[in-house]
Amino acid sequence: MTRRVMTALLTFVALPLAASVSSISTAQNKIAAADLPVLGPKPFIAYFEPTPIVRAPLSTTVWGAATVGPRDTGNGLEDVTMKRWNYWDGQILKGADGKYRMFASRWPQATGHAAWVTSLAVQATSDKLYGPYTDRGLMWPKDMGGKGHNVTALRMHDGRYAVVISETRNGDVYTAASIDGPWTKLGDIVVDQSAFTSVFQPAEIAQPGPPKPWRGSNVSIMARPDGGYEIIQRSGQILISKAGILGPYKVMGETIYRDLPGLPQLGLDTYEDPVIWHSGGWYHVIVNHWRDRRAFHLISRNGITGWKVQGLAYEPGADFIRYTNGVKNHWNKLERAGVIIENGHVIAISFSVIDVPKDDQKGNDGHGSKVIVVPFDGAAMDRDLKNVE
């Protein structure tokens, strides 16, 4: 890495020293941002842009820990009163009418964060990308009461819209001709494990013998440019279907994380929430190390093999969530990243955020979770990475 890139990284990210981390394993895993491989001129985190303020002035009295900082209650999706809902997930698609739809999950805040297993899938709308988003209610209230978590959405090759649920449901796919529904269950994702066995966590190694039934967890799905569909799941395994969104998907190999140069290997089982997309001639993956609260950016030309680390994607301690007036926010956790793509480039990233450690949100305690939307200059990133090898 050049001296120029190392200096830029240190200046931008301003990370704490690894030695200050309480856990020995975390300290060993906390490679300095400047030491992470960067193939282009700068890492993913450097392409985040200042967030326009939707609802001024920034609030210091709304729910949440003071450590988050003054914040915009109009950004993203939240229960401003924190008397009803915790929100999570939050994939955003733009409709033909120019308005934005967010696909999220919610559960009663009074039950605390641990009750995410009871979450229901909802759709929210906004006239503007950054919000505020209005919760329009459950998408399939007559199907298991609207049950849904790990909610994600995409436009299929045939022009229809699809919402995919995993973790609490096993790869259930709902489709609609309109982005606003009605949503009908198309079926469940089918996975072919004849070549490689699907595992749950990236630390697991596929064992010989009859495979266990596929378990859908943290499923991120995209429509490939070649007409197929691609999934990356919690384990970091790539699944490819050439027969439609339900599959069968062929497991293409072991996790892409293991022994990947530049990707911390300590706590391999704590990588989760990968998100995959294609832009600028590359397939991209962001994956979060939940224990270290740090995410990494990976790129591949074919989306299956040849993955390389392209630096730090994001982390709560960095000053990358900042408003146009210079005020910064620092949420305790940033998870479930979702990419918003327009004209072939990422223009923003959505995050599920919580103001305190998850175990500390007990319900009716002034803490909770919401979805935020942060601008991103994906066109610049794609230009910078276009000819990188």
Side-chain angles (χ1 to χ4, degrees):
M1 182 183 297
T2 67
R3 183 183 299 273
R4 175 177 62 83
V5 172
M6 289 181 69
T7 302
L9 280 171
L10 287 168
T11 301
F12 182 85
V13 181
L15 295 173
L17 292 175
S20 67
V21 182
S22 58
S23 166
I24 294 177
S25 61
T26 299
Q28 293 172 340
N29 214 37
K30 205 79 167 179
I31 298 172
D35 294 330
L36 292 170
V38 179
L39 304 177
K42 55 187 180 182
F44 190 91
I45 193 171
Y47 293 95
F48 284 98
E49 298 183 308
T51 306
I53 297 173
V54 175
R55 185 178 289 152
L58 300 179
S59 176
T60 57
T61 59
V62 71
W63 63 268
T67 49
V68 175
R71 64 179 180 83
D72 184 358
T73 58
N75 179 279
L77 173 65
E78 73 171 285
D79 176 0
V80 176
T81 68
M82 196 40 67
K83 292 181 178 180
R84 298 193 69 192
W85 307 118
N86 279 336
Y87 286 105
W88 208 248
D89 298 315
Q91 178 66 56
I92 296 171
L93 299 178
K94 187 178 183 179
D97 58 3
K99 297 181 180 182
Y100 294 88
R101 278 73 168 178
M102 180 186 290
F103 301 86
S105 59
R106 75 181 189 200
W107 64 96
Q109 70 79 26
T111 58
H113 192 84
W116 64 264
V117 294
T118 68
S119 60
L120 309 178
V122 298
Q123 186 171 359
T125 60
S126 176
D127 292 337
K128 298 179 180 179
L129 172 59
Y130 300 106
Y133 283 83
T134 301
D135 185 341
R136 300 299 184 188
L138 306 182
M139 286 186 283
W140 41 83
K142 296 181 180 180
D143 183 342
M144 297 183 71
K147 185 176 182 179
H149 195 71
N150 278 185
V151 181
T152 190
L154 70 156
R155 188 88 180 267
M156 296 194 297
H157 288 298
D158 62 8
R160 290 181 298 162
Y161 295 89
V163 177
V164 181
I165 305 297
S166 59
E167 197 67 40
T168 61
R169 301 181 71 163
N170 206 35
D172 293 8
V173 179
Y174 294 82
T175 60
S178 165
I179 195 171
D180 295 314
W183 299 95
T184 303
K185 186 174 178 181
L186 181 67
D188 300 330
I189 288 172
V190 176
V191 176
D192 174 5
Q193 302 186 63
S194 59
F196 291 90
T197 301
S198 171
V199 298
F200 177 62
Q201 294 182 348
E204 299 176 55
I205 297 176
Q207 300 296 324
K212 297 179 181 179
W214 179 71
R215 178 180 177 185
S217 176
N218 289 178
V219 167
S220 175
I221 185 169
M222 63 166 291
R224 286 175 58 96
D226 62 10
Y229 290 89
E230 178 164 353
I231 286 173
I232 186 169
Q233 55 190 15
R234 178 192 292 266
S235 66
Q237 290 174 290
I238 300 295
L239 284 58
I240 299 289
S241 168
K242 297 181 179 179
I245 193 167
L246 292 181
Y249 286 82
K250 184 176 181 180
V251 182
M252 304 305 293
E254 298 285 359
T255 178
I256 64 174
Y257 310 144
R258 184 177 290 108
D259 298 329
L260 184 62
L263 188 71
Q265 296 293 296
L266 216 59
L268 203 64
D269 59 335
T270 59
Y271 281 106
E272 66 170 9
D273 288 343
V275 58
I276 190 166
W277 76 95
H278 183 271
S279 67
W282 289 95
Y283 287 83
H284 303 258
V285 163
I286 293 174
V287 61
N288 181 48
H289 194 289
W290 66 259
R291 189 184 63 197
D292 287 353
R293 301 188 306 147
R294 174 181 256 195
F296 303 89
H297 179 209
L298 317 177
I299 58 176
S300 163
R301 284 296 187 190
N302 63 17
I304 303 172
T305 59
W307 290 95
K308 304 176 187 299
V309 177
Q310 166 53 24
L312 181 69
Y314 60 84
E315 66 176 354
D319 292 337
F320 78 99
I321 300 178
R322 60 203 191 281
Y323 297 102
T324 49
N325 66 358
V327 173
K328 304 175 182 67
N329 282 168
H330 294 95
W331 293 89
N332 185 270
K333 279 186 176 291
L334 304 164
E335 298 187 357
R336 298 297 295 161
V339 295
I340 300 94
I341 298 178
E342 290 187 11
N343 300 317
H345 305 289
V346 177
I347 63 168
I349 309 287
S350 63
F351 292 103
S352 302
V353 297
I354 185 169
D355 62 314
V356 292
K358 292 178 180 179
D359 290 343
D360 292 347
Q361 200 253 316
K362 305 294 186 181
N364 294 329
D365 56 5
H367 301 295
S369 60
K370 64 170 288 186
V371 180
I372 64 171
V373 188
V374 185
F376 187 85
D377 192 355
M381 182 185 73
D382 289 341
R383 286 195 302 271
D384 289 345
L385 295 179
K386 182 178 180 180
N387 296 316
V388 166
E389 294 297 344

